[in-house]
């Protein structure tokens, strides 16, 4: 396409091409550093190993004893994720109220007072600390403290997800219209009242959607935590993989897909109810 014709069609095309080219130039050393070589997957030895591994998944295991065990461990996995997210909410909600600028009484006149500003920064620092440590690291710590079992997984999810939920909740609340909230605060309402009647109604759907999404992530995390002794489906999958029971692994993967689909439907239903 001639230069003049391209410029008439999209005046910003040159900048877009430049940004895309710069992105590719920056991406290349990153791919080199990570030794990203996808063509190795197509080598005969790799294809043979992959085919043998995938072939071991068929047929999936559907024996009565295994399905009963699978139902029990699935329930335990969902329980770990749900209890972990519930405790994460207990951690996140008060930190969210303290970190949200639009709920600050001292900020009504403009800049926040020094003490509330310092407290807000400390709370945000705590949220960074909680979410910067992966739940797998927390689980390894709690396995040594409380021993093997679901309790370590629940505590690990609670701390990491408490930091994630608090950070995102605060950003969602600050992105909303603060006029109603500020009016309530100016007329003597408490921070909790301003949150309940000002910020929460207009952001309830987004907060709920993100919470259900985090619950879905917690289910996946609880599976990973099972590999370090936190119980649930992850621990059973680790055992099945060590015994080269591919059929059992395939059945558990189908259960994972069903759980994620259930979380997706639940999120959609809650958004419709709140919408």
């Amino acid at each position: 396409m001639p230069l003049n014709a391209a410029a008439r069609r999209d005046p910003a095309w040159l900048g877009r091409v430049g940004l895309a080219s710069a992105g590719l130039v920056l991406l290349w050393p990153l791919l080199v550093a990570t030794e990203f070589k996808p063509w190795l997957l197509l080598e005969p030895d790799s294809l043979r190993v992959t085919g043998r591994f995938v072939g071991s998944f068929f047929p999936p295991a559907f024996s009565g004893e295994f399905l009963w065990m699978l139902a029990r461990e699935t329930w335990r996995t969902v329980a770990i994720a749900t209890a972990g997210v519930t405790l994460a909410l207990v951690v996140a909600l008060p930190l969210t109220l303290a970190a949200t600028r639009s709920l600050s009484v001292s900020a009504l006149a403009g800049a926040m007072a020094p003490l509330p500003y310092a407290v807000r920064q400390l709370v945000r620092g705590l949220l960074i600390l909680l979410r910067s440590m992966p739940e797998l690291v927390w689980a390894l710590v709690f396995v040594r403290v409380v021993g093997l079992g679901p309790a370590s997984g629940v505590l690990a999810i609670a701390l990491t997800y408490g930091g994630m939920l608090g950070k995102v909740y605060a950003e969602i609340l600050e992105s909303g219209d603060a006029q109603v909230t500020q009016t309530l605060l100016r007329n003597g309402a408490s921070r909790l009242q301003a949150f309940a009647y000002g910020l929460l109604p207009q952001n309830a759907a987004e907060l709920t959607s993100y919470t259900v999404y985090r619950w879905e992530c917690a289910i996946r995390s609880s599976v990973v935590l099972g590999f370090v002794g936190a119980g649930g489906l992850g621990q059973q999958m680790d055992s099945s993989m060590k015994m080269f029971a591919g059929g059992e692994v395939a059945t558990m993967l189908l259960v994972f897909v069903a759980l994620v689909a259930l979380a997706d439907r639940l999120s959609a239903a809650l958004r419709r109810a709140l919408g």
Side-chain angles (χ1 to χ4, degrees), residues 170-186:
E171 291 183 349
I172 291 174
L173 295 177
E174 288 183 351
S175 65
D177 185 7
Q179 183 176 357
V180 176
T181 305
Q182 292 174 353
T183 301
L184 290 171
L185 291 174
R186 286 193 175 96

Side-chain angles (χ1 to χ4, degrees), residues 163-223:
M164 293 179 181
L165 291 174
K167 186 254 188 185
V168 176
Y169 284 174
E171 291 183 349
I172 291 174
L173 295 177
E174 288 183 351
S175 65
D177 185 7
Q179 183 176 357
V180 176
T181 305
Q182 292 174 353
T183 301
L184 290 171
L185 291 174
R186 286 193 175 96
N187 285 274
S190 66
R191 292 165 62 94
L192 189 59
Q193 290 173 326
F195 166 73
Y197 296 104
L199 290 179
L200 184 59
Q202 60 177 307
N203 297 292
E206 190 172 357
L207 292 171
T208 302
S209 178
Y210 183 75
T211 303
V212 175
Y213 168 70
R214 273 297 152 198
W215 176 69
E216 173 191 324
C217 294
I219 291 176
R220 294 195 295 270
S221 295
S222 64
V223 173

Side-chain angles (χ1 to χ4, degrees), residues 85-102:
V85 170
T86 301
L87 289 179
L89 288 172
V90 173
V91 173
L93 289 178
L95 296 179
T96 298
L97 295 178
T100 304
R101 190 181 190 280
S102 55

Side-chain angles (χ1 to χ4, degrees), residues 3-114:
L3 178 62
N4 291 337
R8 285 196 299 269
R9 177 170 296 183
D10 183 4
W13 75 275
L14 188 58
R16 300 179 198 277
V17 172
L19 288 175
S21 301
L24 291 175
V25 170
L26 293 175
L27 181 61
W28 177 252
L30 299 179
L31 295 177
V32 172
T34 56
E35 300 181 3
F36 183 68
K37 301 175 181 178
W39 54 86
L40 295 179
L41 298 173
L42 303 178
E43 292 185 351
D45 290 342
S46 298
L47 291 175
R48 185 165 52 254
V49 172
T50 302
R52 190 183 309 119
F53 179 70
V54 174
S56 67
F57 286 5
F58 299 95
F62 290 114
S63 65
E65 182 180 357
F66 174 72
L67 290 179
W68 172 250
M69 180 278 299
L70 185 61
R72 184 181 66 248
E73 296 303 322
T74 300
W75 172 252
R76 183 171 297 172
T77 297
V78 174
I80 292 171
T82 305
V85 170
T86 301
L87 289 179
L89 288 172
V90 173
V91 173
L93 289 178
L95 296 179
T96 298
L97 295 178
T100 304
R101 190 181 190 280
S102 55
L103 290 174
S104 174
V105 177
S106 66
L108 294 176
M112 294 180 64

Side-chain angles (χ1 to χ4, degrees), residues 40 64 71 123 135 137 157 202 229 248 256:
L40 295 179
V123 170
E135 56 268 32
V137 175
I157 291 174
Q202 60 177 307
E248 295 181 358
F256 297 157

Side-chain angles (χ1 to χ4, degrees), residues 220-269:
R220 294 195 295 270
S221 295
S222 64
V223 173
V224 175
L225 297 179
F227 283 83
V228 297
L233 282 173
Q235 191 165 340
Q236 183 57 42
M237 174 175 279
D238 184 39
S239 300
S240 297
M241 293 182 71
K242 289 178 179 177
M243 294 187 296
F244 300 101
E248 295 181 358
V249 175
T251 305
M252 285 185 274
L253 290 176
L254 292 175
V255 172
F256 297 157
V257 173
L259 288 175
V260 173
L262 174 63
D264 186 65
R265 298 297 292 272
L266 177 62
S267 177

